Amino acid sequence: MSARMTALESLTRTTSLDQLQTPAKSGGCASSSCGSPSQPNDVNSAAWEKIKDHPCYSEEAHHYFARMHVAVAPACNIQCHYCNRKFDCANESRPGVVSEKLTPDQALRKVIAVANEVPQLSVLGIAGPGDACYDWRKTKATCERVAKEIPDIKLCISTNGLALAEHVDELAEMNVDHVTITINMIDPEIGAKIYPWIFHDHRRYTGIEAARILHKRQMLGLEMLTERGILTKINSVMIPGVNDEHLIEVNKWVKERGAFLHNVMPLISDPAHGTHYGLTGQRGPRAIELKALRNRLEGGAKLMRHCRQCRADAVGLLGEDRGQEFTLDQVPGEITYDASKRETYRDVVARERGDYITAKNDAIGMIKDAGSGGSLLVAVATKGGGRINEHFGHAKEFQVYEASAMGIKFVEHRKVEQYCLGGWGEETTLERVLAVLEGIDILLCAKIGDCPKHQLTEAGLRATDAFGYDYIETAISTLYAAEFGAEPLPTRA
Amino acid sequence: MSFRIIASQCTQCGACEFECPSGAIKFKGEAYVIDPDKCTECKGAFELQQCASVCPVPETCVPAEL
Ligand code: SF4
Ligand code: SF4
Ligand code: SF4
């Protein structure tokens, strides 16, 4: 298996086409995956075609594909209590934050530069820092220019929904297949606590009247997108004491109107960000509160659990942000698109992921068949490809999976400060990592030093690199079998 | 009479520029500025000044004599 791993990894590193292809060929087809099912069990084929390369719409795709956002739409028609529009910062990572705003032409250059360098790139998103539908001329110009140069890139926009309905037809014409609407309420009384004002029809509305208009426009926009077969993701910000319970109702409403995914995100309200909520002491939810709410929503509109709440100018795989490598001053004034890296990468992924999905389905089937009542919470250090392929000390986040009678499910990711920067770990950092890993039974990584391993063991957390470079689900099923006395899967490949 | 923009507060979002019915707002250097010769205070077009109504920062698009 590690030979094939090299194939995928080297694709994202090397530069010449020859180098890319040699390891790719040697990967071969080691398992039953040729021509076999290449889609997860829980989505239908038409939707799978649309989401299979979209890292946000498909948890499975996020192991392989990357998105980039271009900050071309800074104007907004709403004020939200969790947003401070005066805030620009290079080091912060959260929605709405950017370090440079771009014109559509600058955006095009940047997209080409990234497409040439980052073979995983599959999606271009426009997510503010304002509203993509309100700042429409720039959004449209950017989408059109990029689609002309890179026809296979997926276009994706984020909006608060207020100005969405008037652009739905153009979105459909432009082949925008994915639209995210932030919907935090369906009850205007609650909306009035989140939105101080909106700008609509050439005037400012406040209070309940504002929230009522916003609600109507959001529902209309969502219904229109559903009618046209455009996939929608609903983002909701969980604000404890304001809309936390209410989101259960929101989930029902958006499901009825055809929303494809519901992404419930925690409020970020650090006072240093200067938002209304930050300054008035409104707290964000604790991780367990978020998890509990998500569990209660299970069975409604399908949930997204792997969102990273990215910056409005993020670049790369979801768990990483390479935005700082592609600031405008690093992008050449004249640049032409070179499709070779992306194409080669896609070929290899097509083969590799078929193998992964088969392995994953086998592993999940095994656990379900085992019929044991036990459950395990497993943290995984990974940098993509569905494999345990990140060193403990290099991990910036751990992906958390739950193995139970229901199978193996991705439940969340947990961010950590890197334990080891340049080989030296600090004691206090390890303590913080331990705090982040609270409740985890087993940690899987590609490599871990004896010292941190020992300290983790002392803290009651088993960490192992015995499954380094294996598929995540395969490793988890083996552990599960050992733990609860089930029959492990026969060794593959 | 005209409106003006307090440059130090402007977030450069540009919303006022495309809402202005008189084409009076342009981006110059660090911020958006209002050309006093073109600004009509939106009289005859809208009940309230568009730049002030859309601007996310309070007290940023204000009457020029302030
Ligand atoms: S914020 Fe969430 S949905 Fe948006 S790009 Fe990041 S992970 Fe995807
Ligand atoms: S007051 Fe009206 S006309 Fe004057 S700059 Fe503002 S929007 Fe334009
Ligand atoms: S709307 Fe306000 S913040 Fe935005 S550009 Fe105009 S003056 Fe600046």
Side-chain angles (χ1 to χ4, degrees):
Chain A
M1 268 193 189
S2 41
R4 306 166 116 258
M5 186 57 231
T6 320
L8 202 63
E9 286 236 300
S10 59
L11 278 177
T12 59
R13 301 265 154 77
T14 52
T15 44
S16 90
L17 195 59
D18 272 353
Q19 276 175 296
L20 291 179
Q21 277 169 336
T22 321
K25 273 186 212 131
S26 69
C29 191
S31 76
S32 56
S33 69
C34 284
S36 75
S38 50
Q39 85 184 57
N41 295 328
D42 58 345
V43 273
N44 72 45
S45 307
W48 176 243
E49 270 314 303
K50 288 191 179 176
I51 65 167
K52 70 186 197 330
D53 299 344
H54 197 310
C56 307
Y57 279 72
S58 159
E59 195 272 309
E60 203 270 329
H62 107 281
H63 293 292
Y64 298 104
F65 290 103
R67 53 72 185 100
M68 72 177 289
H69 290 163
V70 286
V72 293
C76 198
N77 49 358
I78 283 190
Q79 183 63 48
C80 307
H81 276 326
Y82 47 75
C83 177
N84 173 9
R85 310 268 295 283
K86 282 196 73 118
F87 206 93
D88 275 11
C89 179
N91 306 313
E92 281 282 336
S93 181
R94 63 194 165 85
V97 170
V98 294
S99 49
E100 58 186 6
K101 292 163 192 157
L102 307 175
T103 64
D105 280 322
Q106 291 169 331
L108 174 65
R109 269 162 50 208
K110 180 166 169 169
V111 176
I112 293 175
V114 172
N116 288 354
E117 284 305 312
V118 181
Q120 299 104 325
L121 182 71
S122 64
V123 172
L124 169 67
I126 299 178
D131 186 81
C133 284
Y134 176 60
D135 211 342
W136 178 247
R137 273 175 296 181
K138 288 184 226 145
T139 299
K140 188 177 176 190
T142 305
C143 287
E144 284 174 346
R145 273 166 228 189
V146 171
K148 205 169 140 231
E149 293 292 325
I150 312 175
D152 71 326
I153 204 162
K154 284 188 185 303
L155 301 172
C156 185
I157 67 152
S158 276
T159 175
N160 59 44
L162 183 60
L164 169 61
E166 57 250 44
H167 300 300
V168 168
D169 286 326
E170 287 164 286
L171 287 168
E173 273 163 36
M174 284 154 58
N175 287 324
V176 174
D177 246 348
H178 303 265
V179 174
T180 296
I181 317 173
T182 300
I183 300 181
N184 296 318
M185 54 89 200
I186 46 113
D187 176 354
E189 303 249 357
I190 292 174
K193 296 183 191 151
I194 304 172
Y195 306 101
W197 58 263
I198 67 168
F199 183 82
H200 177 66
D201 246 349
H202 299 290
R203 60 167 281 211
R204 187 179 280 210
Y205 294 83
T206 56
I208 293 194
E209 194 186 10
R212 189 171 292 131
I213 296 169
L214 176 62
H215 166 64
K216 275 202 191 129
R217 304 288 300 168
Q218 289 179 331
M219 295 301 130
L220 175 65
L222 171 57
E223 285 162 8
M224 290 174 74
L225 291 168
T226 301
E227 258 169 44
R228 285 158 184 80
I230 296 175
L231 293 183
T232 48
K233 172 160 73 62
I234 307 305
N235 279 357
S236 298
V237 181
M238 176 181 180
I239 312 162
V242 177
N243 72 345
D244 43 355
E245 282 293 314
H246 183 58
L247 289 180
I248 293 167
E249 198 61 21
V250 171
N251 183 277
K252 277 188 207 139
W253 276 60
V254 301
K255 185 186 185 184
E256 276 166 25
R257 284 158 186 78
F260 182 76
L261 267 184
H262 192 190
N263 177 20
V264 176
M265 308 178 294
L267 170 71
I268 302 173
S269 64
D270 186 328
H273 301 156
T275 63
H276 174 84
Y277 279 150
L279 297 174
T280 55
Q282 169 66 52
R283 70 174 182 93
R286 293 194 299 277
I288 41 170
E289 292 173 310
L290 178 67
K291 192 163 182 272
L293 176 64
R294 283 174 173 170
N295 287 346
R296 287 174 67 189
L297 295 175
E298 208 55 68
K302 193 170 150 53
L303 290 187
M304 172 178 187
R305 289 171 179 265
H306 62 286
C307 177
R308 304 300 199 282
Q309 294 184 284
C310 310
R311 293 164 56 98
D313 58 3
V315 173
L317 292 170
L318 295 193
E320 67 180 15
D321 184 1
R322 300 178 57 183
Q324 297 311 310
E325 293 168 45
F326 296 97
T327 49
L328 212 50
D329 55 340
Q330 300 171 77
V331 172
E334 290 282 326
I335 184 164
T336 42
Y337 174 48
D338 169 8
S340 56
K341 268 200 202 180
R342 287 181 70 239
E343 280 168 6
T344 313
Y345 180 76
R346 277 157 184 264
D347 286 349
V348 178
V349 167
R351 262 178 291 150
E352 168 81 14
R353 86 192 301 191
D355 188 53
Y356 172 47
I357 291 174
T358 309
K360 181 174 164 175
N361 289 343
D362 288 353
I364 291 174
M366 184 228 96
I367 289 197
K368 285 186 177 161
D369 291 349
S372 136
S375 80
L376 276 183
L377 214 52
V378 184
V380 181
T382 174
K383 47 185 171 190
R387 301 193 187 250
I388 304 158
N389 54 3
E390 179 68 292
H391 293 202
F392 172 73
H394 298 167
K396 292 197 194 99
E397 61 171 30
F398 294 101
Q399 304 204 357
V400 179
Y401 290 78
E402 189 166 35
S404 71
M406 312 276 291
I408 303 171
K409 260 191 350 198
F410 172 86
V411 280
E412 64 195 358
H413 65 95
R414 300 190 190 177
K415 276 192 191 133
V416 285
E417 272 172 77
Q418 271 166 281
Y419 168 63
C420 148
L421 289 165
W424 298 96
E426 275 178 49
E427 204 114 322
T428 50
T429 320
L430 187 64
E431 272 163 35
R432 281 197 290 263
V433 173
L434 273 168
V436 165
L437 292 173
E438 193 196 342
I440 300 290
D441 298 304
I442 302 173
L443 180 131
L444 301 175
C445 56
K447 213 149 196 53
I448 182 167
D450 286 337
C451 179
K453 187 173 174 175
H454 181 71
Q455 283 173 280
L456 290 176
T457 314
E458 281 196 337
L461 184 91
R462 281 177 285 162
T464 174
D465 52 17
F467 300 93
Y469 302 100
D470 281 355
Y471 285 133
I472 295 167
E473 282 83 357
T474 308
I476 294 177
S477 74
T478 308
L479 283 166
Y480 189 90
E483 200 78 11
F484 301 106
E487 189 68 30
L489 289 170
T491 324
R492 305 171 68 249
Chain B
M1 267 293 293
S2 118
F3 265 54
R4 73 181 183 105
I5 289 167
I6 315 280
S8 59
Q9 308 216 66
C10 172
T11 69
Q12 298 160 26
C13 71
C16 54
E17 182 189 21
F18 65 76
E19 293 296 349
C20 174
S22 320
I25 306 181
K26 287 267 139 27
F27 189 68
K28 271 205 190 123
E30 280 290 279
Y32 284 85
V33 291
I34 296 176
D35 178 346
D37 295 333
K38 288 190 178 163
C39 173
T40 59
E41 293 200 350
C42 294
K43 283 199 186 88
F46 300 106
E47 210 174 303
L48 282 171
Q49 290 80 16
Q50 297 296 288
C51 54
S53 307
V54 74
C55 182
V57 196
E59 306 298 322
T60 296
C61 301
V62 291
E65 80 265 50
L66 277 188

